[in-house]
Structure formats: C-alpha cells, structure tokens
Amino acid sequence: MADDELEALRAQRMAQLQSQYGGGGAGGGRPSQEEQEEKARQMNEMKNSILSQVLDQQARARLNTIAVAKPEKAQMVENMLCQMAQTGQIQNKIGEAQLKSLLERVSEQTAKKTTVKFKRRVLDDSDED
C-alpha cells in the first residue's frame, strides 16, 4: 500500500513540475526563479524542523559548528539525518555521542585516500644517431 501512495506522490509531483515549467513561456525566467527560491526556502525550513525534532541541543550545536568549518560534511550529515528520520530509523533524539559516531562513519566513507605515484623520466634515446 505504501508503494501506491509513493506512486501517487510521484505522479502529483511530476504534474506540478510539468505545470510549473511547461506553462511559464511568456513570463520569462523571473517567476520560475522566484518559485525556485521559495521552494528552496521551504525545503530549508523543513530540514531545520526535522533536525530540531531529531537532535538534542548539544548535538545541534555541534552540527552547526561543523557547518562553519566544513559545510559539505555538515550538509551530508544533515541530509542523512533527514533521510533516516523520514524512513523511521530514528526513534529517539540523537545526542552528541551518537552524532559523533555518525560523523565518524561519514568521515570514513568520504576519507580521501592519498596515493603517491612516481613518474620516472624517460631518457630521450632516439635511433636517429
């Protein structure tokens, strides 16, 4: 039954997108730009709402501190937390210790492996002598 609901939501969203981009030919890019900004603002509010429900104050403060230093990493963690909350994987509020372990997992997944490659010069030995 959840698949039917998901399919209905997808169809509704597709109809919204088609009406949004298909019907705005004469108005130019301005209305779609404003609509995109409004949509981005709503998504940001929804994300903040979910995060405030899922994280306690200390964890939220730590995540905000990380966002200042490493915005990409904080964005990944926020998206992961929102996805976990929407799928029902989070039952209680996440504390600072749990957030630390989640951050460690993300760091392990995104860790850049340093490799050193030696490129040796080839001597110019031509047979033209």
Side-chain angles (χ1 to χ4, degrees):
M1 190 159 183
D3 291 336
D4 295 337
E5 293 172 359
L6 182 62
E7 203 57 44
L9 286 172
R10 283 183 181 158
Q12 180 183 6
R13 182 69 183 133
M14 188 60 104
Q16 271 182 337
L17 289 173
Q18 287 174 349
S19 67
Q20 179 180 352
Y21 293 110
R30 229 174 238 178
S32 66
Q33 180 69 22
E34 291 173 3
E35 289 173 359
Q36 287 177 354
E37 289 174 1
E38 177 66 22
K39 182 181 173 190
R41 187 183 62 77
Q42 288 176 353
M43 293 293 285
N44 197 17
E45 286 178 7
M46 185 177 75
K47 180 181 72 170
N48 287 333
S49 171
I50 290 173
L51 290 175
S52 65
Q53 291 173 2
V54 170
L55 297 174
D56 67 2
Q57 288 182 344
Q58 291 175 339
R60 186 78 171 133
R62 180 174 288 273
L63 189 57
N64 288 337
T65 304
I66 291 169
V68 171
K70 296 184 178 183
E72 315 86 31
K73 188 177 213 175
Q75 186 71 31
M76 286 177 55
V77 172
E78 288 174 353
N79 292 339
M80 185 184 298
L81 286 169
C82 288
Q83 187 177 23
M84 289 170 66
Q86 289 172 345
T87 57
Q89 295 177 357
I90 299 175
Q91 305 301 328
N92 301 332
K93 281 197 171 199
I94 292 180
E96 192 174 6
Q98 292 172 319
L99 183 65
K100 283 181 184 179
S101 66
L102 186 65
L103 286 167
E104 288 173 1
R105 276 197 345 221
V106 169
S107 292
E108 289 172 5
Q109 291 174 356
T110 60
K112 295 180 182 178
K113 295 180 181 176
T114 305
T115 58
V116 177
K117 293 184 179 180
F118 291 100
K119 191 171 187 180
R120 299 188 188 267
R121 284 192 244 162
V122 179
L123 296 175
D124 191 21
D125 288 339
S126 65
D127 292 354
E128 297 176 12
D129 290 333

